[in-house]
Amino acid sequence: MMNKTEFKLKLYPFIAGIAPILVLFTGNLGEVEFSEVWRSLLSAILLTAFALLVTWLVFRNWSKAGLLTSIVMISILSYGHVYDGLKEIEVLIPFARHRFLLVLNVLFILGFGWLLWKKIKNTQPLELFFTWFCVFMLVFPSYTLARYYLFSNIETVNTSVISQSGSVISQNETKPDIYYIILDGYGRADTLKGFYEFDNSEFISELNRLGFYVASDATSNYPQTLLSLASSLNFQYVEDTLVTLDPTSDDRRPLVDRIHHSHIRQIVEESGYTFVSFDTGYVTSVEDADIYYKYRGPQNTGQTYFFSMNSFESLLFEQTIVRPLIDIGMINQKYLKDTLEAPYIRHGGRVLFTFETLAQLPKMDGDYFVFVHIISPHPPFVFGKNGELISHTEAYTLGDTAENAAGTRNGTREDYIQGYTDQMTYVNSLTLKTIQTILSESETPPIIIIQGDHGPGAYLDWSVKEKTNLKDRFSILNAYYLAGRESTSLYSSISPVNTFRVVLNEFFGTHIELLPDRNFFSLW
C-alpha cells in the first residue's frame, strides 16, 4: 500500500503521459478546440495507469514502476517529434531513419528497465529528477493555456467607422437576404492559369452570366483566414479593428472573437436580420448564431464516429511511436486506415452538408444574413474532380503548404497543384448548382458574395516571406451579386476590407468611405 508521500511522487508518470499532448495542443491554439483534446488526455491517463500496473507486476516496486512507465510514455508520445526534429538538423539527418530511431527507443527502454532490475537499488535521486523533469515539461503548456484561457484580454471592436453614417434599413422594408460565402483558399483566374495551368474561365463566365460582377484584379488583405475574416467582417484593417493587438502574441482569440461578434453581424441583427452560420470544423464556426447548422455526420450509414479520430487525435497519432507504421505503408491495414480516414470523411461530409443546406435556405420565411466558411478548395484534398473521395496515407491536417497538404507524406508542389485543381473543379460545380438554386427560389433578389479569404498555398512558405509567391497567395476570387443591381462602387481590384462598405452604402443608406486596398503578409 502506498502512503501519501509515495502517491505524490507517483504522479509524475501521469504528467509524463499528458505533457506531450498538452505541448501539441498549445502549439495549435486557435486552430483546435479543447473538445478535440480531452479524449487524448483521458487515453493517456488510462494508458499510463495500465503501464504503471504492468511494470509494478514486474518489479513489485512502485518507485521503479513509476520510473520505467515515465520513460515508456515519453518514448511512445514523443517519437514523431524527435523524428521530425532530427530531419530539421542537417548534421543529424542520417539518424532520422525509423530503423535507427525505433531500435534506439526499444533498446533504451529495455536497457533502462534492466538497470532498474539489476543495478539501481536507491531510486530516490532518479525519482526526484523525473519528478522535476516532468513538472518542467508541464510548466510551458500550463502557462500558455492559462494565459490563453484566463488572462487574454479580448478587445472590443472599434465602431467609430459607422458613427457618421446613415440609418440602417427600416424594420418594415423588404430586405434582400445576404449570403457571404467564403471558399477558403480560392485563387484568382489569371494566377490559376499562370501558376497552376488551370483554366477557370468557364466558372467565371457562368458567374457573369448569372449576373455576378467578378473583380478581375482582386486580392486578399491578409494571407491567413483569421486575419482576413476578422478584417472583412468588420470592414477595417486588423490594426484598426482591434483597440490593441500585440503583433508578437500567439493568442488568436481576439481575431476569432471579431469573427464571431463582428460589426456586420451587429448591424444586420439590429436591422431585423436573422444571423445564420454553419459548422466549419474550425474556429470560424459561429455557434451562438441565431441559427447554427451543426454537421452530425453521415446519419444514413449507421456509422458512428465516436471511436474514430478527430483532427487533433489524427495529428497526435502521427507523432507517436506508431509513426513508422504510417511511413512504411502498414497504415493501409483496414482498422488503422479507417481510423485515419475518418477526419477526412467528416471534412468532406461537412462540405457537402453546407452546400446542400445553403440551397434550402431561400424556402425559409424571414430575412437572413448567412455567413458560410467552406474549407475548400483549401486542403485537405478530399474530392477528386468528379466528387470521388480521395484516399490518404497521412494524418488529417488543415495545413496549406505542399509538404503537409498533398495527401501523401512529403508531398510535392505538383501533388498540391493536382489535388487543388481537382478539388476546385468539383467545388465549382457545387457552387454553381447552389447559387442557381438560391437565385431561382429567392422571393426577393438576394445579395451574394463569393470570396476567397486568401489564395492557394502551393508556393507558400510560412517561415520566409521571400520564399512565398505573394501574387499567388494574395490573388483571390471576389464575386458580387447585389440583388440584380449594377453597382458603380465595385471595381476590378476591390479587396475584402471594402466588401461590406459597398454593401452598406448600396443597401443600408450609409456613406462610408472606401479604404485603400492594401496587402499585409504575416508569418504563421
Side-chain angles (χ1 to χ4, degrees):
M1 180 71 70
M2 291 185 290
N3 60 37
K4 187 174 181 181
T5 302
E6 284 181 312
F7 181 72
K8 286 183 178 179
L9 288 175
K10 303 311 174 292
L11 286 177
Y12 65 83
F14 292 93
I15 298 175
I18 66 174
I21 297 172
L22 292 177
V23 168
L24 186 63
F25 178 37
T26 56
N28 290 274
L29 279 176
E31 307 294 309
V32 174
E33 298 291 347
F34 182 75
S35 59
E36 296 185 77
V37 180
W38 69 268
R39 292 197 310 187
S40 298
L41 292 172
L42 179 60
S43 299
I45 292 171
L46 294 176
L47 181 60
T48 302
F50 176 75
L52 194 58
L53 178 61
V54 170
T55 51
W56 179 82
L57 291 173
V58 173
F59 292 111
R60 299 289 175 168
N61 181 295
W62 286 112
S63 296
K64 293 184 177 182
L67 289 168
L68 186 58
T69 297
S70 300
I71 289 294
V72 169
M73 293 307 299
I74 293 172
S75 297
I76 288 175
L77 294 174
S78 301
Y79 179 92
H81 293 290
V82 175
Y83 178 75
D84 290 333
L86 291 175
K87 292 200 298 183
E88 294 296 322
I89 304 174
E90 188 172 349
V91 295
L92 297 179
I93 289 178
F95 299 99
R97 300 286 185 274
H98 291 307
R99 59 180 176 271
F100 171 79
L101 192 57
L102 189 59
V103 170
L104 186 64
N105 264 267
V106 172
L107 290 178
F108 179 70
I109 292 171
L110 292 176
F112 188 74
W114 181 82
L115 288 175
L116 288 173
W117 179 265
K118 294 290 186 180
K119 300 294 183 181
I120 299 175
K121 304 302 181 184
N122 180 14
T123 58
Q124 187 172 357
L126 270 178
E127 281 204 292
L128 184 62
F129 169 78
F130 268 86
T131 299
W132 283 107
F133 177 74
C134 291
V135 168
F136 177 77
M137 287 176 62
L138 201 59
V139 166
F140 174 74
S142 297
Y143 167 75
T144 303
L145 291 171
R147 187 182 66 175
Y148 186 80
Y149 285 109
L150 301 178
F151 306 118
S152 175
N153 293 319
I154 300 176
E155 302 290 351
T156 57
V157 65
N158 181 349
T159 59
S160 61
V161 68
I162 293 299
S163 60
Q164 78 280 11
S165 61
S167 60
V168 297
I169 293 178
S170 166
Q171 293 283 347
N172 298 321
E173 186 178 342
T174 301
K175 298 183 280 288
D177 290 335
I178 304 173
Y179 296 83
Y180 187 40
I181 302 172
I182 301 297
L183 298 179
D184 202 306
Y186 201 114
R188 204 171 66 203
D190 59 329
T191 56
L192 293 175
K193 183 78 170 179
F195 301 128
Y196 294 75
E197 298 183 355
F198 181 76
D199 185 357
N200 205 30
S201 59
E202 184 177 346
F203 176 72
I204 301 300
S205 296
E206 184 61 19
L207 288 178
N208 289 328
R209 188 190 68 78
L210 292 170
F212 280 80
Y213 175 85
V214 181
S216 58
D217 301 308
T219 57
S220 62
N221 303 111
Y222 300 92
Q224 299 183 30
T225 297
L226 297 187
L227 291 168
S228 180
L229 294 184
S231 173
S232 66
L233 287 165
N234 293 283
F235 39 99
Q236 299 177 36
Y237 287 104
V238 167
E239 57 269 32
D240 300 323
T241 302
L242 303 177
V243 175
T244 59
L245 181 67
D246 179 3
T248 65
S249 173
D250 57 3
D251 183 2
R252 295 171 179 263
R253 280 199 303 166
L255 299 173
V256 175
D257 184 69
R258 294 281 52 82
I259 293 170
H260 288 196
H261 305 103
S262 64
H263 200 180
I264 193 62
R265 177 181 179 181
Q266 172 191 336
I267 291 172
V268 296
E269 286 183 338
E270 289 176 355
S271 300
Y273 279 84
T274 297
F275 190 84
V276 180
S277 177
F278 287 80
D279 176 11
T280 67
Y282 188 53
V283 293
T284 51
S285 300
V286 185
E287 297 186 21
D288 67 344
D290 299 316
I291 298 176
Y292 176 66
Y293 289 101
K294 176 73 174 177
Y295 175 62
R296 303 292 180 183
Q299 303 296 320
N300 59 340
T301 64
Q303 289 180 287
T304 174
Y305 285 99
F306 181 81
F307 294 106
S308 62
M309 293 183 189
N310 59 42
S311 56
F312 177 81
E313 291 161 352
S314 183
L315 183 62
L316 175 64
F317 182 70
E318 196 174 47
Q319 297 302 324
T320 67
I321 205 164
V322 302
R323 174 73 167 270
L325 298 180
I326 300 174
D327 287 357
I328 66 176
M330 288 186 68
I331 198 64
N332 289 319
Q333 293 180 2
K334 183 174 182 356
Y335 174 75
L336 289 177
K337 178 65 176 174
D338 290 348
T339 303
L340 185 74
E341 200 69 53
Y344 292 99
I345 295 173
R346 276 197 300 272
H347 181 89
R350 187 179 292 110
V351 170
L352 295 176
F353 166 79
T354 302
F355 277 111
E356 291 166 1
T357 307
L358 257 180
Q360 299 170 14
L361 296 186
K363 300 175 183 178
M364 300 194 305
D365 294 328
D367 304 307
Y368 296 93
F369 181 99
V370 185
F371 171 56
V372 187
H373 176 209
I374 298 174
I375 305 180
S376 194
H378 184 289
F381 303 133
V382 296
F383 298 116
K385 61 178 60 178
N386 297 312
E388 66 275 18
L389 292 178
I390 302 300
S391 180
H392 303 84
T393 59
E394 65 175 8
Y396 176 91
T397 176
L398 291 176
D400 197 21
T401 58
E403 291 78 8
N404 65 6
T408 57
R409 178 163 308 286
N410 299 320
T412 65
R413 180 171 293 160
E414 289 71 25
D415 293 329
Y416 184 105
I417 290 173
Q418 186 66 56
Y420 178 86
T421 54
D422 283 352
Q423 184 152 278
M424 174 174 279
T425 300
Y426 185 57
V427 168
N428 283 352
S429 66
L430 294 174
T431 302
L432 289 175
K433 180 181 178 182
T434 302
I435 295 305
Q436 288 165 351
T437 301
I438 292 173
L439 290 175
S440 64
E441 297 190 3
S442 295
E443 291 185 6
T444 302
I447 297 169
I448 305 175
I449 301 152
I450 308 173
Q451 200 168 82
D453 51 346
H454 53 72
Y459 298 87
L460 171 67
D461 189 316
W462 280 126
S463 60
V464 184
K465 181 186 73 173
E466 288 71 22
K467 292 184 179 180
T468 294
N469 184 321
L470 298 179
K471 182 177 181 181
D472 179 50
R473 187 62 177 180
F474 279 93
S475 299
I476 60 168
L477 170 71
N478 199 2
Y480 299 81
Y481 182 87
L482 299 183
R485 302 183 189 177
E486 289 189 10
S487 172
T488 58
S489 300
L490 297 174
Y491 52 98
S492 66
S493 59
I494 187 171
S495 65
V497 74
N498 282 317
T499 292
F500 288 111
R501 290 174 177 256
V502 168
V503 170
L504 291 172
N505 289 344
E506 295 272 349
F507 294 90
F508 284 66
T510 62
H511 304 283
I512 312 171
E513 183 179 352
L514 300 190
L515 296 176
D517 296 298
R518 304 170 66 191
N519 316 107
F520 297 89
F521 184 80
S522 172
L523 302 177
W524 182 245

